[in-house]
């Protein structure tokens, strides 16, 4: 959740799937600071995130992701 709290500072819309280090899978939906995430059962094996915002780029998103996941 800390990843989502930090990344929403730079985004106005975020959605996707996060695979944690212990292989739990979470579906995420964020609009501004409204954050929704839930653990799901799926065969997704890789984190995939779509982010829209200002002053955000893939490198910044990856740095923040790696800091927490």
């Amino acid at each position: 959740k800390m990843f989502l709290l930090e990344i929403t500072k730079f985004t106005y819309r975020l959605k996707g799937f996060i695979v944690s280090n212990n292989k739990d899978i979470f579906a995420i939906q964020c609009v501004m600071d409204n954050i929704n995430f839930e653990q799901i059962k799926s065969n997704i094996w890789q984190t995939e995130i779509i982010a829209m915002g200002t002053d955000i780029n893939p490198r910044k998103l990856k740095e923040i992701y790696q800091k927490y996941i």
Side-chain angles (χ1 to χ4, degrees):
K1 186 172 179 175
M2 295 303 297
F3 162 73
L4 296 175
L5 289 173
E6 184 167 342
I7 200 67
T8 55
K9 296 175 189 174
F10 306 100
T11 61
Y12 50 82
R13 181 72 169 102
L14 182 80
K15 66 185 293 185
F17 301 97
I18 294 178
V19 179
S20 70
N21 287 336
N22 62 356
K23 306 301 183 210
D24 290 333
I25 302 165
F26 297 90
I28 59 169
Q29 297 265 355
C30 303
V31 178
M32 305 296 245
D33 60 353
N34 183 3
I35 299 171
N36 294 300
F37 69 99
E38 65 179 284
Q39 188 170 356
I40 62 170
K41 300 278 187 202
S42 179
N43 60 352
I44 295 170
W45 53 275
Q46 161 179 327
T47 295
E48 294 186 19
I49 298 171
I50 297 171
M52 293 181 271
T54 56
D55 193 32
I56 185 113
N57 60 58
R59 185 179 340 132
K60 181 184 255 185
L61 186 64
K62 187 174 182 177
E63 287 173 3
I64 296 170
Y65 175 77
Q66 289 179 335
K67 186 163 111 176
Y68 294 105
I69 304 300

